[in-house]
Amino acid sequence: MKLAVFDWQGSRHLGRVAETEDAVERFDLARGAVTDAGVAALIGRDLPPVAEALPLAEVVLQAPVPRPRRNVFCVGKNYHAHAREFAASGFDSSAAKGEVPEVPIVFSKLPDSVIGPGAPIRIDAAVSTAIDYEAELAVVIGRPGRNIAAAEALSHVWGYTIVNDVTARDLQGRHSQWLIGKSQDSFCPMGPWAVTAEEIALADTSVRCWVNEELRQESNTGLLIFDVPTIIAAISNGITLLPGDVIATGTPAGVGIGFTPPKYLRPGDRVRVEIGGIGSLENPVEAV
Ligand code: MG
């Protein structure tokens, strides 16, 4: 099941996306009832009744969790080929610990960096001249837990979405912590909707990214160094994960920094991330 947040006729709504992906069934909720939690407000509840079906073309999709209740958790260097390309880039402040991490590298992005599909990734040339894309499968937590065992971890997953972990490489390299380079305004495109957990086969889900019409990243979640259960076990080690928490699982090879010379994002570009079983998340790039 695909669940979406969208704007229509001047207010925000929740709905279920039709299998054909050309319509959305709007839930019958009071005006103003949809919160920053978006689809996360539906976790553990029966779905509201459907008011009507609307053509998808008539609504403006938003991020499925428009403002997560706290930072988006992210995993760095979680595909072998990407770990190699990033370690070789000169921007990897974790490189001294080795090309491939022995335990998950976890950082975060501010909730305010989240934008929806179609919204512009804004590039401020006064701040960064090395802005990169990262296609990632993101987990949405459904059941709270602390010290979650890997064997139990998937029972805490409510669903999945797509995150583009946009990154200012120069800022990432300058500060040994990655927060600033990862949390610039508009640097967390998310969407186009969330899917419930049964829609995704973690051992075999395609992850692709195009910049304009050029295929840059093409991999599969079966190739993650640390799989989703391992990631959840690591993050929940002493930290209580909460419903609606979002965890971006890492990006495969083919980011801009992996090319010689690097292929950074430029105003006028369009970035499209496509993940099997979810759909595609496309955002234009604009100068501030
Ligand atoms: Mg990333």
Side-chain angles (χ1 to χ4, degrees), residues 53-70:
L54 301 167
L56 205 60
E58 288 185 11
V59 308
V60 179
L61 290 167
Q62 301 294 329
V65 187
R67 248 341 141 260
R69 63 194 291 173
R70 51 189 187 173

Side-chain angles (χ1 to χ4, degrees), residues 105-127:
I105 294 173
V106 179
F107 60 94
S108 73
K109 295 170 89 79
L110 297 180
D112 313 84
S113 63
V114 172
I115 61 171
I121 297 164
R122 295 193 179 278
I123 288 186
D124 185 345
V127 176

Side-chain angles (χ1 to χ4, degrees), residues 25-215:
E25 295 174 329
R26 181 176 74 82
F27 293 143
D28 192 7
L29 296 167
R31 199 176 175 88
V34 179
T35 67
D36 286 346
V39 302
L42 300 171
I43 292 170
R45 297 172 47 193
D46 291 335
L47 291 184
V50 171
E52 65 201 312
L54 301 167
L56 205 60
E58 288 185 11
V59 308
V60 179
L61 290 167
Q62 301 294 329
V65 187
R67 248 341 141 260
R69 63 194 291 173
R70 51 189 187 173
N71 287 19
V72 175
F73 295 96
C74 303
V75 181
K77 297 170 65 168
N78 202 19
Y79 288 84
H80 286 281
H82 172 67
R84 282 193 294 275
E85 72 178 353
F86 183 52
S89 74
F91 291 108
D92 181 7
S93 52
S94 72
K97 294 200 167 184
E99 198 170 83
V100 174
E102 292 179 3
V103 294
I105 294 173
V106 179
F107 60 94
S108 73
K109 295 170 89 79
L110 297 180
D112 313 84
S113 63
V114 172
I115 61 171
I121 297 164
R122 295 193 179 278
I123 288 186
D124 185 345
V127 176
S128 170
T129 55
I131 294 169
D132 211 343
Y133 50 87
E134 295 192 351
E136 307 199 9
L137 176 73
V139 176
V140 182
I141 293 294
R143 202 156 63 81
R146 182 174 183 270
N147 296 346
I148 299 168
E152 302 296 322
L154 293 182
S155 71
H156 292 261
V157 174
W158 173 79
Y160 299 92
T161 187
I162 299 171
V163 158
N164 183 350
D165 177 18
V166 179
T167 304
R169 295 294 179 206
D170 40 6
L171 297 176
Q172 183 185 27
R174 190 180 311 154
H175 302 273
S176 57
Q177 298 283 325
W178 298 355
L179 183 89
I180 294 173
K182 294 284 192 175
S183 290
Q184 299 276 299
D185 294 349
S186 79
F187 275 22
C188 191
M190 183 193 296
W193 39 66
V195 303
T196 44
E198 76 280 358
E199 301 272 349
I200 296 293
L202 289 170
D204 182 16
T205 289
S206 61
V207 179
R208 297 189 181 91
C209 179
W210 286 260
V211 176
N212 305 320
E213 293 311 311
E214 183 183 351
L215 179 62

